[in-house]
Amino acid sequence: MGLSIRFYLFAEDGLQSISQRVMMGLIRGKDAMPQYAGTRQKVADVILENEGKKPVRIERAQGSYLTFDDQGQVHKDLVASGFAALETSMALEEALRKPQTKIVDLTPKLNREKWERENRWTLSKGDLEAIADDIWRRKEAGQPRIERAKGSAPKPPKVTYEAKEAIREITTSLISIDNKLRWLSEPALKGVAFEARENAKIESDAPLWRGIAEAADRYHEIQVRRRTGRGVWYAHVEILQWDAVQRTGEAIASFSERCDTKAKAEEAGRRLLTENAKYFTAETSVHTEVLCELEWDEEAGAKLH
């Protein structure tokens, strides 16, 4: 037995399915649905129990909301909602752990219930039947099939097995190159960049050598900025929720501040860490770092992917 997930959108124009590609794109801020800009829509995530690739039972169906901004994106609202979920859940757990007294503070319980009302909805029998009809293709003759909700991001090309194997091998080589460059000194990095550009003039794999030169330049500039403190800096705090079974962590909230100097970024980082230290538990950690603009641009790009 295995598990899989499907997503459904309960819009005014009818029930639609949402592919995992589009849903993950919405969650990560890489996709949008301009057709629903400025609206709040009901969605459901459905966990299925499978035998092989065939669904045999609905394990769970949970209703929630997607709040689309004026661009048709939901990422910022999902982050805010996730952070509020963590905050209300932790406050309620802390209240339940306290010794019982005659005076009971109901605020944590009421705040959690308020979050549930604002962010969850219960699927009706008819909703579940409509989803089941789609999953097991129980449509009657002539009855229109459920349409796929469309995102604005272009569909990526199919990645063949051959392409995946090539990327896997290339990734291994790139990691080795990156590790070699990352720990070189400033003079060594300047030398590598120079030699790589010289090789690019005469070697048949010139594009690869130019890429190595650019990577060496970047690491050299990062070291210079960390040594001198020049340029724009960012203080960044990320709250990670850990799965003890899978041994994986997921960022559920983050806070950043742009600063004119490295010293100001360090000060801002200490303040952000202090403000968010209350969210540290056995299941969550609070990670703080100070990044120069080059590192920040790279980190922001990685999160979008």
Side-chain angles (χ1 to χ4, degrees):
M1 289 288 182
L3 297 177
S4 63
I5 185 168
R6 297 193 190 185
F7 303 97
Y8 289 89
L9 173 69
F10 289 78
E12 289 185 2
D13 49 352
L15 178 65
Q16 300 177 55
S17 64
I18 308 177
S19 68
Q20 291 197 30
R21 175 183 65 84
V22 171
M23 194 65 181
M24 292 304 104
L26 291 172
I27 291 171
R28 296 167 181 166
K30 294 175 60 180
D31 207 344
M33 290 183 174
Q35 65 271 34
Y36 297 116
T39 68
R40 191 171 190 242
Q41 301 291 335
K42 295 165 68 175
V43 296
D45 59 88
V46 182
I47 305 296
L48 299 174
E49 186 177 291
N50 304 312
E51 284 186 357
K53 293 184 178 181
K54 183 179 179 181
V56 295
R57 187 172 72 89
I58 294 178
E59 176 75 17
R60 190 199 72 183
Q62 180 174 270
S64 59
Y65 296 95
L66 290 179
T67 301
F68 294 88
D69 63 17
D70 56 3
Q71 302 296 317
Q73 293 190 324
V74 299
H75 175 69
K76 290 181 180 179
D77 183 75
L78 285 177
V79 170
S81 176
F83 186 66
L86 172 67
E87 194 169 37
T88 55
S89 177
M90 290 176 59
L92 181 58
E93 288 179 6
E94 184 177 351
L96 293 174
R97 285 196 299 265
K98 290 181 179 179
Q100 296 298 314
T101 63
K102 292 182 179 180
I103 301 176
V104 179
D105 183 7
L106 295 177
T107 302
K109 183 174 184 292
L110 294 175
N111 286 340
R112 182 62 190 182
E113 290 176 351
K114 180 174 181 291
W115 184 90
E116 292 281 352
R117 289 195 303 273
E118 293 177 349
N119 294 276
R120 295 281 185 261
W121 63 279
T122 302
L123 280 76
S124 68
K125 181 180 178 182
D127 295 332
L128 291 171
E129 286 178 350
I131 290 173
D133 286 344
D134 180 65
I135 293 171
W136 284 286
R137 304 187 182 279
R138 300 193 300 223
K139 297 293 183 183
E140 297 179 3
Q143 188 175 356
R145 62 178 297 177
I146 291 178
E147 297 293 331
R148 274 284 178 97
K150 304 294 185 182
S152 60
K155 186 176 181 179
K158 182 179 180 180
V159 182
T160 65
Y161 174 80
E162 183 183 19
K164 289 179 180 178
E165 282 297 297
I167 289 295
R168 183 183 62 79
E169 293 180 14
I170 290 169
T171 299
T172 301
S173 299
L174 288 178
I175 291 172
S176 177
I177 293 170
D178 185 75
N179 286 336
K180 180 64 69 175
L181 294 176
R182 185 184 297 270
W183 303 109
L184 293 178
S185 63
E186 288 181 39
L189 286 166
K190 289 186 70 173
V192 167
F194 173 80
E195 286 295 323
R197 287 190 171 89
E198 289 298 304
N199 286 345
K201 296 175 184 178
I202 58 175
E203 300 289 349
S204 59
D205 50 1
L208 301 179
W209 282 112
R210 286 196 291 270
I212 290 173
E214 289 180 11
D217 286 340
R218 178 183 168 279
Y219 276 124
H220 178 267
E221 181 60 22
I222 287 174
Q223 287 196 26
V224 170
R225 295 195 185 192
R226 286 203 161 273
R227 174 171 53 81
T228 64
R230 76 185 187 194
V232 173
W233 290 78
Y234 290 84
H236 181 67
V237 168
E238 201 164 57
I239 299 174
L240 302 172
Q241 188 166 45
W242 296 94
D243 186 323
V245 177
Q246 299 293 331
R247 296 186 179 181
T248 57
E250 178 184 8
I252 55 175
S254 62
F255 307 90
S256 305
E257 196 166 309
R258 186 179 187 275
C259 302
D260 296 332
T261 66
K262 182 180 179 182
K264 289 181 180 179
E266 289 172 343
E267 182 180 344
R270 286 190 290 269
R271 174 168 44 78
L272 289 173
L273 178 60
T274 301
E275 291 172 356
N276 293 282
K278 60 185 177 181
Y279 299 115
F280 175 81
T281 68
E283 289 76 35
T284 59
S285 62
V286 183
H287 177 67
T288 309
E289 57 185 342
V290 170
L291 304 169
C292 73
E293 193 168 20
L294 288 175
E295 295 168 299
W296 177 257
D297 290 343
E298 180 188 58
E299 179 124 339
K303 286 177 183 176
L304 287 177
H305 289 82

